[in-house]
Amino acid sequence: MKQPGFFDVEERPARLSGLGDQLEAFYRTVDFEVFRPDLDKALAYSDGSRGGERHLIRC
């Protein structure tokens, strides 16, 4: 089996699409924007006022 080269990565999505990529089928079938309000609410753990400051974990 040949090791993939740097530019082979760009060809991978086209090959998957040609084989019938299941994620593409889901994307055509399901309106994922319906879930956006729930995701925004669930992932709104920061208001951004602190500029992404990292919290140190102390042991």
Side-chain angles (χ1 to χ4, degrees):
M1 181 172 190
K2 181 180 134 187
Q3 181 176 359
F6 181 74
F7 295 103
D8 292 335
V9 174
E10 293 177 359
E11 298 171 4
R12 188 172 302 153
R15 282 186 287 171
L16 284 173
S17 184
L19 294 171
D21 187 5
Q22 290 298 317
L23 289 177
E24 287 181 356
F26 289 137
Y27 181 74
R28 287 190 303 267
T29 306
V30 178
D31 180 17
F32 289 103
E33 289 301 315
V34 171
F35 302 106
R36 184 165 303 280
D38 292 329
L39 289 172
D40 287 341
K41 184 177 174 183
L43 298 175
Y45 51 85
S46 172
D47 64 0
S49 65
R50 297 184 74 172
E53 178 183 353
R54 291 185 181 183
H55 298 284
L56 298 176
I57 300 173
R58 299 188 184 214
C59 299

